[in-house]
Amino acid sequence: DTAVSQTPKYLVTQMGNDKSIKCEQNLGHDTMYWYKQDSKKFLKIMFSYNNKELIINETVPNRFSPKSPDKAHLNLHINSLELGDSAVYFCASSQTGQGRATQYFGPGTRLLVL
Amino acid sequence: AQSVTQLDSQVPVFEEAPVELRCNYSSSVSVYLFWYVQYPNQGLQLLLKYLSGSTLVESINGFEAEFNKSQTSFHLRKPSVHISDTAEYFCAVSEVQGAQKLVFGQGTRLTINP
């Protein structure tokens, strides 16, 4: 069983389009995250949700809108895609509480904007 | 705010040689420390972590890292590497208190030559 899964794995689209990436975790965790890995492999937090509540929003353009319908799901919708949005997007989850900070990552969604 | 510096962007070594990947961090608060590994075209896998207790932590595949609070370092070592260890290695920190987002270093590309 996959602990953290993402769909789709690959996404190729045209500039200006709107697309969504989905993430699901079956670990029973209460916190989920989106990270972006750029072309130089640098990883940066974008958003985090705890029990469906947004707790981290790291100066990401308004074109990016996360949605968490329940604790096990965190989706990322991107409007008006730009060339610079091309990256690998990773979902992760963890259980909050001292000593339980380990984040587990999904396989990533490779987005290419043409 | 935290920051992580991985001092070497690339480390080439011969098979069965020892290796050390260096990681230094900066933080005004207590942090947890992690090493993640990313094999080519794959997601991030947790390699090992320091949350509390013994400052020397080990992974199941022979890697170890030592938390040195005075030097704010968490270097990763392996006494004898294998071809299959070829990957990108990321050092990361998160706050003990707070939202616990991961702040990553720039990554170190470990290449094992036969």
Side-chain angles (χ1 to χ4, degrees):
Chain A
D1 287 341
T2 303
V4 183
S5 60
Q6 295 179 229
T7 54
K9 192 171 182 180
Y10 299 96
L11 188 52
V12 181
T13 187
Q14 299 288 329
M15 214 165 44
N17 284 349
D18 303 338
K19 290 293 179 185
S20 291
I21 307 171
K22 295 186 177 182
C23 178
E24 177 181 2
Q25 55 95 4
N26 62 7
L27 297 167
H29 289 163
D30 62 0
T31 305
M32 296 183 72
Y33 311 79
W34 279 112
Y35 289 85
K36 179 181 180 180
Q37 186 175 44
D38 64 22
S39 58
K40 296 184 178 180
K41 303 253 179 181
F42 185 65
L43 284 146
K44 193 174 187 323
I45 183 79
M46 299 175 70
F47 301 104
S48 177
Y49 271 77
N50 175 263
N51 282 319
K52 302 195 296 176
E53 180 183 348
L54 181 66
I55 57 172
I56 297 175
N57 183 344
E58 288 279 315
T59 59
V60 178
N62 291 338
R63 298 182 295 103
F64 290 79
S65 53
K67 281 189 173 53
S68 182
D70 55 59
K71 279 197 319 180
H73 296 84
L74 179 61
N75 304 323
L76 183 64
H77 187 74
I78 315 171
N79 288 325
S80 304
L81 278 155
E82 299 177 357
L83 295 177
D85 297 332
S86 295
V88 182
Y89 293 85
F90 286 103
C91 177
S93 73
S94 71
Q95 180 64 34
T96 53
Q98 197 159 357
R100 304 175 73 183
T102 305
Q103 293 186 24
Y104 296 90
F105 284 77
T109 295
R110 285 151 182 82
L111 171 65
L112 178 60
V113 182
L114 302 173
Chain B
Q2 296 81 45
S3 67
V4 178
T5 301
Q6 291 182 244
L7 296 161
D8 304 297
S9 59
Q10 296 186 62
V11 173
V13 296
F14 287 107
E15 196 172 14
E16 298 183 5
V19 70
E20 178 180 80
L21 306 184
R22 295 178 292 170
C23 173
N24 286 88
Y25 70 94
S26 172
S27 178
S28 58
V29 298
S30 296
V31 294
Y32 297 129
L33 295 136
F34 305 85
W35 276 99
Y36 283 86
V37 58
Q38 185 176 28
Y39 297 104
N41 296 314
Q42 293 191 28
L44 291 159
Q45 299 177 29
L46 178 68
L47 189 59
L48 44 75
K49 61 187 177 184
Y50 171 77
L51 302 183
S52 64
S54 172
T55 56
L56 183 65
V57 291
E58 299 176 353
S59 72
I60 57 173
N61 57 353
F63 282 95
E64 64 178 31
E66 186 157 22
F67 169 49
N68 187 319
K69 190 173 183 179
S70 62
Q71 297 188 5
T72 60
S73 68
F74 191 53
H75 301 330
L76 181 69
R77 302 183 184 94
K78 189 170 184 179
S80 176
V81 295
H82 190 266
I83 292 281
S84 59
D85 293 324
T86 295
E88 193 90 22
Y89 291 79
F90 293 93
C91 181
V93 301
S94 68
E95 291 180 0
V96 171
Q97 304 290 340
Q100 296 180 340
K101 66 179 181 182
L102 284 170
V103 175
F104 285 90
Q106 303 92 320
T108 297
R109 173 82 181 155
L110 177 61
T111 304
I112 311 300
N113 299 304

